[in-house]
């Protein structure tokens, strides 16, 4: 696959990526090269890079796997590990893992000694198509997702689709939700392609998703305007994800599973407020429900989720702003939604 | 006093500062205005601003006073307070306090929801002459000072020298050490002026110190080169400060007290390595010992302090780089110092 050059950094695929990393590390005299992994990528992915980092890399820094560990406490562990292993301002951090590793590792690097360089090597489909571009780093604060972070670009993003064979099918589906989002907000033809795919073909479409996201982010890196389109499905999706993450009994939803629901709910809002047809709304619902399990929300669940919305980062001055669709392939930002529509949206989901 | 305009933000003094703040807040539609204080500035300084922020400000967020609370745990408290009080991306944080409040508050603001605006209102002499310019934010990690942070500029810095009357004399002296440093690294005449001052005259020289620092920071905002001059006395000074901060029995040294020792020690290194005369070295020692208590270091203390040096942020590739003086008023950066000179420097201090 070809490389994608973003204004801030380069995104390389496959063989080109290995060569690009080797060349980059040779050209830049880093004092130490650290690798951050989680338990899973330590076991399944690290060996793949033995020929790349060679003897120059330090012992890997290993964190626990899962969104519940995307916390400041985990950051403290990693900052301390970097300190204890003699990390300095000229150190490099390679983040090898899914979105938790790349988001948290990016934040740790951006703040260690007021900022060291980092490179992201996403290992999940979700991280490849989403976390690989845009420079958002951060961690959760209790139930509130990504409350603490900075925007800072990695020096390079390397995508090895071979690593996807290590992923569980449920994780693969989770990443696919972000790809479907790229179709919904920007490209009707891409949506049509995606909805007829088998899971074994997802990897051939990663580059298209990266290009769509990169295109948007370059036009609006600080999310003043069109970058907000990438939040489609995420306003309600994040609230749902937070709720299930913190719930003492209910199973956790993966990010893609939560935003899949968010995209149906916000599809309903789009139908009501920004002119998307009922036919397209039903198509969206059908696609997502055929790919993701239907969740049984109680009225109590729905009440708490709507309450969590007020902490969404995209709010300001007490208004809840949404990205909605005019039609499949075209999104519009900054739409204020009357609160009473939220319950209707859940009712449509449950139909 | 006149205002100083830095490339990144404006620094205003006294009456101009009150007017500038009122105008700035009126022109920028912040959704909420938060004030961060510590126990001391809550008690002694907050009232001074009642006419400025008026009814638009939220209940102040109060943290404990002192460097030992400049931690990630305190940041978590403040991030949570901002969340719980409905802070959003369009919120403003006013940091009213000494260097701990402005460094920590700047870091919290720079990372809350990936960054909100902040204004610094330094209340200590140290924060007025040092923390007010340059955009360094951050907190300590265990014994290691400022290990976690970012470089990010406040929207504005407001200096009210009236607030200095609330300071204890020891704190005033601590800030004076940074002013003396400005003379040593950049201006022999300013050094001469300062060393004959009474404490009651310090406030008339704040603007000169701010100008010297601003001048250096503007030429090299990311500390690639001449900005390092501002670290004079800080390499050994930080190690000494860390050691006393963590020591179970010994009293804590204030920042200015620690770097005053650092400036004598690094003056010795300057005499040995970069040509400063013995006469000037003795002058430096005499000035600092007449302003700050002499500390009795044991050989064990000295060994541990030298050990701590290897964690200094200014190191890279295992070398310890120093800023040294060619003469009073002129500094030179990136001088590697042989380890054996450290003990000699302490011996000179103890003479």
């Amino acid at each position: 696959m070809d490389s994608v050059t973003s204004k801030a950094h380069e995104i390389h695929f496959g063989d080109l990526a290995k060569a690009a990393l080797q060349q980059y590390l040779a050209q830049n005299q880093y004092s130490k090269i650290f690798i951050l992994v989680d338990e899973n990528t330590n076991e399944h992915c690290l060996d793949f890079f033995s020929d790349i980092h060679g003897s120059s890399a330090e012992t890997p820094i290993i964190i626990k796997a899962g969104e519940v560990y995307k916390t400041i406490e985990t950051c403290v562990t990693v900052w301390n590990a970097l300190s204890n292993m003699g990390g300095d301002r000229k150190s490099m951090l390679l983040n090898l893992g899914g979105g938790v590793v790349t988001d948290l590792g990016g934040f740790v690097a951006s703040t260690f000694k007021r900022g060291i360089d980092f490179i992201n090597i996403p290992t999940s489909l979700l991280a490849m198509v989403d976390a690989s571009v845009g420079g958002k780093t951060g961690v959760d604060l209790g139930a509130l997702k990504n409350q603490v972070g900075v925007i800072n670009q990695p020096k390079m993003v390397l995508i090895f689709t071979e690593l996807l064979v290590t992923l569980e099918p449920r994780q693969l589906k989770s990443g696919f939700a972000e790809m479907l989002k790229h179709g919904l907000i920007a490209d009707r033809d891409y949506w049509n392609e995606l909805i007829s795919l088998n899971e074994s073909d997802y990897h051939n479409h990663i580059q298209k998703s990266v290009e769509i996201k990169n295109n948007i982010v370059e036009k609006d890196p600080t999310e003043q305007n069109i970058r907000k389109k990438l939040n489609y499905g995420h306003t309600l999706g994040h609230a749902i994800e937070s709720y299930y993450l913190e719930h003492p009994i209910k199973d956790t939803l993966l990010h893609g599973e939560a935003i899949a629901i968010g995209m149906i709910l916000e599809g309903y809002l789009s139908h009501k407020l920004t002119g998307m047809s009922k036919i397209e709304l039903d198509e969206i619902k059908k696609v997502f429900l055929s790919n993701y399990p239907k969740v049984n929300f109680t009225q109590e669940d729905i009440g708490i989720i709507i309450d969590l919305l007020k902490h969404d980062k995209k709010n300001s001055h007490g208004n809840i702003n949404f990205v909605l669709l005019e039609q499949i392939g075209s999104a519009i930002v900054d739409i204020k939604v009357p609160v009473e529509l939220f319950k209707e949206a859940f009712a449509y989901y449950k139909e």
Side-chain angles (χ1 to χ4, degrees), chain A:
Chain A
M1 279 184 260
D2 294 340
S3 302
V4 178
T5 301
S6 106
K7 270 178 196 149
H9 61 284
E10 291 169 354
I11 306 159
H12 297 287
F13 296 84
D15 289 343
L16 278 180
K18 282 211 178 188
L21 177 59
Q22 274 162 332
Q23 191 181 7
Y24 186 84
L25 294 180
Q27 279 170 354
N28 290 273
Q29 299 283 313
Y30 290 104
S31 60
K32 299 202 181 210
I33 298 169
F34 296 96
I35 299 190
L36 180 69
V37 291
D38 67 16
E39 299 156 312
N40 295 331
T41 56
N42 182 50
E43 190 178 339
H44 300 298
C45 304
L46 193 59
D47 285 349
F48 184 75
F49 295 95
S50 55
D51 61 319
I52 294 180
H53 61 82
S55 58
S56 63
E58 303 295 313
T59 321
I61 300 170
I62 307 171
I63 61 174
K64 291 193 177 171
E67 179 81 23
V68 289
Y69 297 105
K70 189 175 158 184
T71 61
I72 282 290
E73 290 71 31
T74 306
C75 292
V76 170
T77 311
V78 183
W79 284 318
N80 276 320
L82 290 171
S83 271
N84 295 337
M85 293 161 86
D88 62 32
R89 281 185 182 172
K90 297 283 179 196
S91 298
M92 154 62 72
L93 182 64
L94 303 176
N95 298 313
L96 177 65
V100 172
V101 170
T102 56
D103 282 9
L104 183 147
F107 179 64
V108 165
S110 301
T111 53
F112 181 67
K113 295 180 190 260
R114 300 203 184 93
I116 62 170
D117 288 352
F118 64 103
I119 285 175
N120 285 346
I121 309 174
T123 58
S124 69
L125 182 61
L126 182 63
M128 288 180 190
V129 297
D130 192 40
S132 63
V133 189
K136 286 189 177 177
T137 76
V139 295
D140 305 337
L141 193 66
L144 304 173
K145 281 183 61 72
N146 301 319
Q147 282 286 102
V148 174
V150 294
I151 293 193
N152 190 28
Q153 303 294 337
K155 289 292 163 191
M156 201 176 259
V157 175
L158 308 176
I159 295 180
F160 300 97
T161 54
E162 304 92 304
L163 296 173
L164 292 177
V165 298
T166 68
L167 270 194
E168 287 170 29
R170 190 181 163 199
Q171 295 283 350
L172 202 68
K173 279 280 180 203
S174 175
F176 185 56
E178 291 284 359
M179 297 171 78
L180 288 168
K181 183 195 75 182
H182 294 141
L184 285 178
I185 62 172
D187 192 331
R188 181 30 139 157
D189 293 340
Y190 184 47
W191 166 264
N192 290 345
E193 270 175 53
L194 291 174
I195 61 179
S196 58
L197 284 187
N198 289 323
E199 285 171 31
S200 57
D201 287 328
Y202 291 172
H203 69 274
N204 289 321
H205 295 73
I206 291 173
Q207 184 160 357
K208 176 73 182 171
S209 266
V210 168
E211 283 167 0
I212 289 175
K213 179 162 183 188
N214 193 42
N215 224 339
I216 293 174
V217 169
E218 289 213 331
K219 286 185 188 137
D220 176 24
T222 59
E223 199 167 313
Q224 301 304 305
N225 191 345
I226 67 158
R227 181 166 178 174
K228 293 178 185 172
K229 290 184 181 181
L230 293 164
N231 295 322
Y232 180 67
H234 283 62
T235 306
L236 279 154
H238 268 169
I240 293 167
E241 190 180 359
S242 292
Y243 177 64
Y244 280 83
L245 191 65
E246 289 292 298
H247 198 282
I249 297 162
K250 290 180 198 277
D251 285 342
T252 298
L253 290 176
L254 296 183
H255 178 70
E257 293 165 348
I259 65 153
I261 301 167
M263 287 191 270
I264 298 173
L265 298 171
E266 296 179 17
Y268 180 85
L269 303 176
S270 302
H271 171 55
K272 286 287 168 179
L273 297 172
T274 49
M276 189 169 69
S277 71
K278 182 69 163 50
I279 293 170
E280 290 202 326
L281 170 60
D282 290 341
E283 178 182 339
I284 291 170
K285 182 176 172 184
K286 186 170 154 232
V287 167
F288 284 113
L289 288 185
S290 70
N291 277 285
Y292 304 93
K294 193 165 181 178
V295 171
N296 183 26
F297 295 102
T298 66
Q299 289 310 309
E300 193 198 350
D301 296 335
I302 293 170
I304 301 172
I305 289 164
I306 292 173
D307 231 39
L308 277 171
L309 274 185
K310 65 171 184 276
H311 286 292
D312 194 279
K313 284 186 303 302
K314 291 170 286 294
N315 300 342
S316 72
H317 298 82
N319 291 314
I320 301 180
N321 287 316
F322 280 81
V323 183
L324 298 180
L325 301 178
E326 297 174 301
Q327 57 187 32
I328 292 176
S330 170
I332 179 168
V333 304
D334 286 337
I335 306 294
K336 292 189 194 9
V337 175
V339 178
E340 54 274 21
L341 279 185
F342 298 149
K343 287 194 180 170
E344 280 182 33
F346 275 99
Y348 170 73
Y349 175 80
K350 293 172 77 168
E351 268 172 18

